């Protein structure tokens, strides 16, 4: 049996389970004890393909399930099996793996949970609520699990988000796009606290502009939510950076697709994304400042203790932001807008356009803006070069997102050239930001400030020359969308 599974998954705390169950609508309820063994090849072919394969046992019955994809809607295939061995003839398994890979499948981790399940009608939709408590276990690692899942059985997906809003008034709920398979793979590999990096959005050739936006936005939301989890559990410098990158990609996509997605919610969501970015900006600026100082004047620079104290305070501010209700609401409401927003109902002519045609025009506009702003780069002041850097960054995000719609090799060459420009402009921007930070951190220590800025100013002419050279190369680079 194959179908799309539509669900919302939330991370929650065990102490909140009774309150959440009390707040949920009344319906047919049952408690299950579930044990699921997840499989993959030694090379991780299923993990690489964003596919999970499990054999779940409950009350003596065994069900084999293959799921494909991440996020709100996933492809799901289920089949009853008689024993405790995988059915390798399952069509979905055969489609996912070659014969030799199927034979190499082996258990990689086990999930054991107690599930309190309830099915009910809510705002005209049939919804199944499941509260899972238990653990994920590999050969040598354990991780406790407490999740709330809301699965749409029939009806309007907007009802899932409406119920989530109601339940979130009872207890903190963090929207998560990582299923148990992703968490188990991370536990097994020891990468649970590693940052979630940008994963290329799987745009479909022949798709519409509206479909392309949804795919890109979902990709960014997965990255935002996952790095939020890391930052709530550990102080991760790289996770903070990747969170900011994901927020910028989301904001850039909303700007690029403005004619497609403009509705009454866009302005508010953009403002909230900007808040999240700013909550992390100071920590990121101080991280870069600290590393650059160590490279320029050594680890024992006079300002190092002050920088360390300021970094700790800024990281605490960022961690508080991703633990806040405002963050939880932002992720939930942005996801609700992407999946069920008014922009989808309006079905504008822009949303129905070919994604490839839309991408070509959008890339051309961003490309021309970079060339216009970057003319005579060496004569620009710091704010002027900053505008070029932002325009180049937006062009890069769009180019990376849209590249799958065109030839892969020309896209890679263009993006590589664009990244070189962005890096050189970033070095100049870091120098400008450093001047502001030095003035703030060393108002009464002129020698320390002078030494730091002297080292930075010495590197500035070369950086400016490099940026101008990269701008000239980019202007001559063949584009891939024409």
């Amino acid at each position: 049996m194959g179908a799309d599974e539509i669900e919302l998954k939330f991370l929650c705390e065990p102490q909140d389970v009774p309150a959440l169950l009390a707040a949920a609508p009344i319906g047919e309820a049952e408690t299950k004890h579930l044990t699921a063994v997840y499989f993959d090849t030694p090379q991780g072919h299923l993990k690489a393909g964003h596919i999970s394969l499990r054999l779940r046992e409950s009350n003596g019955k065994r069900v084999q399930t293959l799921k494909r994809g991440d996020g709100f809607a996933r492809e799901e295939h289920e089949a009853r099996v008689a024993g405790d061995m995988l059915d390798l003839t399952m069509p979905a398994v055969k489609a996912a793996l070659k014969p030799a890979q199927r034979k190499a499948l082996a258990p990689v981790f086990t999930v054991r949970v107690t599930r309190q399940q309830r099915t009910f009608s809510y705002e005209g939709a049939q919804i199944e609520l499941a509260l899972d408590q238990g653990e994920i276990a590999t050969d040598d690692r354990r991780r406790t699990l407490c999740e709330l899942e809301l699965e749409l059985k029939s009806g309007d997906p907007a009802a899932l988000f409406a119920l989530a809003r109601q339940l979130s008034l009872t207890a903190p709920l963090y929207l998560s796009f990582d299923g148990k398979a992703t968490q188990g793979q991370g536990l097994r590999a020891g990468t649970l606290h590693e940052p979630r990096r940008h994963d290329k959005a799987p745009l479909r050739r022949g798709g519409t502009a509206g479909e392309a936006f949804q795919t890109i936005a979902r990709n960014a939301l997965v990255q935002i939510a996952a790095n939020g989890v890391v930052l709530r559990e550990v102080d991760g410098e790289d996770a903070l950076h990747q969170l900011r990158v994901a927020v910028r990609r989301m904001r850039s996509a909303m700007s690029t697709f403005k004619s497609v997605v403009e509705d009454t919610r866009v302005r508010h969501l953009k403002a909230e994304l900007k808040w999240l970015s700013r909550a992390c900006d100071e920590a990121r600026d101080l991280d870069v400042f600290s590393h650059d100082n160590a490279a320029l004047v050594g680890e024992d620079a006079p300002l190092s203790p002050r920088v360390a104290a300021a970094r700790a305070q800024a990281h605490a501010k960022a961690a508080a932001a991703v633990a806040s209700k405002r963050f939880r609401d932002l992720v939930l409401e942005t996801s609700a807008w992407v999946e069920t927003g008014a922009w989808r109902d309006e079905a504008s002519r822009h949303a129905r356009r070919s994604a490839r045609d839309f991408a070509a025009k959008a890339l051309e506009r961003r490309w021309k803006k970079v060339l216009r702003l970057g003319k005579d780069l060496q004569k620009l002041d710091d704010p002027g070069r900053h505008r070029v850097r932002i325009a180049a960054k937006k062009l890069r995000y769009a180019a990376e997102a849209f590249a799958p719609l065109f030839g892969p090799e020309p896209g890679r060459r263009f993006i590589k050239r664009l990244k070189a420009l962005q890096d050189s402009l970033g070095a100049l921007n870091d120098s400008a930001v450093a001047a502001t930070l030095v003035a703030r951190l060393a108002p009464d220590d002129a020698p320390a400030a002078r030494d730091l800025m002297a080292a930075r100013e010495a590197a500035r002419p070369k950086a400016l020359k490099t940026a101008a050279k990269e701008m000239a190369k980019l202007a001559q680079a063949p584009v891939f969308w024409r």
Side-chain angles (χ1 to χ4, degrees):
M1 179 178 64
D4 280 346
E5 175 190 56
I6 298 176
E7 71 173 13
L8 295 176
K9 183 189 297 289
F10 297 90
L11 306 179
C12 57
E13 294 297 328
Q15 63 265 27
D16 293 324
V17 168
L20 287 167
L21 288 172
I26 297 173
E28 183 181 343
E30 64 176 318
T31 298
K32 301 178 180 179
H33 300 286
L34 305 174
T35 299
V37 179
Y38 284 75
F39 294 79
D40 205 344
T41 66
Q43 295 76 25
H45 289 96
L46 293 180
K47 178 185 176 185
H50 297 270
I51 298 170
S52 67
L53 178 62
R54 74 176 183 225
L55 195 58
R56 174 183 280 173
E57 188 272 332
S58 177
N59 296 327
K61 298 177 182 178
R62 291 179 175 82
V63 177
Q64 178 173 311
T65 305
L66 181 143
K67 296 184 182 183
R68 185 192 301 268
D70 298 308
F72 183 64
R74 294 184 294 173
E75 178 186 330
E76 182 181 54
H77 303 267
E78 283 190 345
R80 290 281 296 272
V81 293
D84 56 2
M85 300 291 290
L86 285 174
D87 177 7
L88 300 182
T89 67
M90 183 183 193
V93 175
K94 293 175 71 174
L97 297 170
K98 297 176 181 178
Q101 294 168 347
R102 295 199 296 272
K103 290 180 181 178
L105 286 168
V108 288
F109 60 90
T110 301
V111 177
R112 295 181 179 87
V113 299
T114 298
R115 168 168 292 181
Q116 299 180 74
Q117 185 172 300
R118 191 181 298 177
T119 305
F120 46 79
S121 178
Y122 184 82
E123 294 194 356
Q126 282 295 115
I127 296 174
E128 180 182 278
L129 177 151
L131 263 162
D132 288 349
Q133 292 179 269
E135 70 169 13
I136 305 175
T138 65
D139 288 340
D140 56 353
R141 296 187 177 99
R142 298 285 187 276
R143 180 176 175 85
T144 58
L145 191 70
C146 188
E147 295 180 343
L148 168 70
E149 295 179 5
L150 303 175
E151 182 176 351
L152 185 71
K153 294 300 185 180
S154 65
D156 188 345
L160 284 183
F161 291 99
L163 178 57
R165 292 185 189 101
Q166 177 185 319
L167 294 176
S168 67
L169 298 175
T170 301
L173 297 176
Y174 293 92
L175 185 59
S176 172
F177 301 96
D178 286 344
K180 295 178 178 66
T182 301
Q183 296 177 64
Q185 293 282 14
L187 179 67
R188 177 174 178 250
T191 58
L192 277 176
H193 291 145
E194 288 190 2
R196 182 67 56 85
R197 301 187 181 279
H198 171 62
D199 194 11
K200 187 179 294 183
L203 296 191
R204 182 175 67 87
R205 290 198 179 193
T208 66
E211 291 170 346
F213 171 74
Q214 276 193 312
T215 302
I216 293 167
R218 288 167 179 163
N219 189 269
L221 282 167
V222 168
Q223 191 181 5
I224 290 171
N227 284 299
V229 172
V230 176
L231 288 173
R232 286 192 296 274
E233 296 187 4
V234 297
D235 183 11
E237 181 180 322
D238 288 342
L240 179 108
H241 173 56
Q242 292 303 322
L243 174 64
R244 290 176 72 249
V245 169
V247 171
R248 288 199 303 261
R249 287 184 183 277
M250 186 73 205
R251 292 174 62 196
S252 180
M254 294 166 81
S255 175
T256 298
F257 285 89
K258 182 178 179 179
S259 63
V260 173
V261 302
E262 192 69 30
D263 65 14
T264 57
R265 294 290 292 160
V266 172
R267 181 174 296 183
H268 170 73
L269 294 174
K270 277 187 172 181
E272 290 302 283
L273 286 163
K274 193 170 187 177
W275 158 77
L276 179 56
S277 181
R278 285 180 171 174
C280 301
D281 284 349
E282 184 181 10
R284 178 60 181 170
D285 287 344
L286 284 163
D287 288 342
V288 173
F289 180 72
S290 176
H291 294 314
D292 286 353
N293 286 350
L296 288 168
V297 295
E299 296 282 354
D300 299 324
L303 284 184
S304 292
R306 296 188 194 184
V307 174
R311 283 180 76 190
Q313 187 174 17
H315 274 265
K317 175 184 173 183
V322 298
S324 69
K325 183 179 186 300
R326 191 171 182 178
F327 176 84
R328 296 193 297 271
D329 289 346
L330 166 60
V331 179
L332 177 62
E333 294 304 331
T334 306
S335 183
W337 173 74
V338 169
E339 303 298 343
T340 67
W343 69 271
R344 297 179 67 251
D345 299 331
E346 292 165 4
S348 70
R349 61 184 177 85
H350 296 291
R352 296 193 304 269
R353 285 175 58 187
S354 155
R356 183 184 170 102
D357 290 346
F358 180 90
K361 289 181 172 59
L363 289 166
E364 188 74 14
R365 284 196 305 273
R366 291 213 177 277
W367 163 241
K368 288 181 177 178
K369 184 173 183 178
V370 171
L371 296 184
R372 175 171 54 82
L373 292 176
K375 188 177 180 181
D376 297 326
L377 188 66
Q378 286 182 288
K379 296 180 181 179
L380 296 177
D381 57 10
D382 286 335
R385 282 190 292 271
H386 179 65
R387 286 190 288 272
V388 180
R389 186 177 72 91
I390 296 301
K393 188 176 292 185
K394 289 180 178 179
L395 174 59
R396 179 183 167 192
Y397 292 156
E400 288 177 339
F402 290 136
L405 300 174
F406 304 89
E409 188 54 39
R412 278 195 292 270
R413 289 196 297 267
F414 180 84
I415 292 166
K416 183 179 180 181
R417 181 58 61 203
L418 186 56
K419 186 178 184 300
L421 171 65
Q422 191 180 327
D423 288 346
S424 60
L425 289 171
L428 289 166
N429 183 69
D430 291 342
S431 181
V433 170
T436 302
L437 291 175
V438 167
R440 194 187 93 199
L441 294 170
D444 56 350
D445 194 346
R450 185 178 60 247
D451 290 345
L452 278 177
M453 292 314 299
R456 290 178 177 276
E457 286 301 316
R460 188 179 178 87
K462 182 178 179 181
L464 186 55
K465 187 175 181 180
T466 299
K469 188 180 296 184
E470 294 298 342
M471 187 74 224
K473 289 180 180 179
L474 183 67
Q476 298 300 318
V479 298
F480 64 88
W481 57 84
R482 292 176 185 164

